[in-house]
Amino acid sequence: MTDPTPAADPGPASGSAPVPAPGPVPGSADADRHWLRLAVDRARLCPPSDTAFSVGAVIVAADGTELARGHSREGDPHFHAEEAALAKLPPGDPRLAGATLYSSLEPCAERRSRPRTCTQLVLDAGIPRVVIAWREPDLFVTGCQGTRLLTGAGVEVVEIPELADRAREPNAHLAV
């Protein structure tokens, strides 16, 4: 499967990386489904694991510019999707203050492989809005609290359950 990418500007003649053209502006139901489908499709790139979910994430600026994308185990066997996407941005990137993070699975609130959870990474980054397809089932952690912790900290969390079955597909080997 090819990696779906937004239309890209070839960038300046200096040979710098292409700049993605803005896509739909986050916030409308259609735009949220567009970006969340892209995150869900990223999960298909994850190497399967018997001890972790396959998750995809996309971070989108307030103007519809894709800032970063990531998937579980991208570049590191312990990376979670949100972590992989955030690692591609400079710490304190001011665009994060108006961004939306799209994730195929609720951000983790408990974790053994790293000191900070994805929920904490989102809060530390100052991302005010998170859109998910699927709440974390009680497989590795009982009663994931990511959504509760995010909303309790003032982050808007939107769930689009119509994409949950699609988010489960790359995790079929886990029988969830």
Side-chain angles (χ1 to χ4, degrees):
M1 175 178 190
T2 60
D3 185 17
T5 56
D9 178 326
S14 66
S16 65
V19 177
V25 173
S28 74
D30 286 342
D32 284 345
R33 279 192 294 276
H34 166 84
W35 291 113
L36 187 55
R37 276 192 293 273
L38 184 61
V40 168
D41 288 346
R42 288 284 309 159
R44 298 177 194 285
L45 301 174
C46 301
S49 170
D50 291 334
T51 59
F53 290 106
S54 292
V55 181
V58 178
I59 302 170
V60 181
D63 68 356
T65 300
E66 182 182 321
L67 300 177
R69 54 174 74 177
H71 61 273
S72 302
R73 297 172 291 288
E74 179 182 356
D76 180 313
H78 298 291
F79 261 0
H80 286 195
E82 300 90 338
E83 179 181 24
L86 283 165
K88 295 173 184 169
L89 297 170
D93 187 322
R95 300 172 297 175
L96 293 173
T100 298
L101 178 126
Y102 294 89
S103 181
S104 61
L105 183 69
E106 174 181 18
C108 70
E110 188 176 320
R111 186 168 184 179
R112 293 183 191 101
S113 63
R114 297 271 203 249
R116 292 191 306 163
T117 65
C118 291
T119 295
Q120 191 60 54
L121 292 171
V122 168
L123 293 173
D124 291 349
I127 296 173
R129 190 165 183 272
V130 174
V131 179
I132 63 170
W134 183 30
R135 293 221 184 196
E136 184 172 340
D138 293 342
L139 181 61
F140 302 118
V141 174
T142 302
C144 181
Q145 299 293 312
T147 297
R148 185 185 65 76
L149 293 171
L150 289 168
T151 57
V155 174
E156 177 188 0
V157 178
V158 176
E159 184 176 357
I160 302 180
E162 68 195 60
L163 293 175
D165 284 343
R166 196 166 158 180
R168 283 185 197 92
E169 288 172 7
N171 295 288
H173 65 286
L174 298 172
V176 288

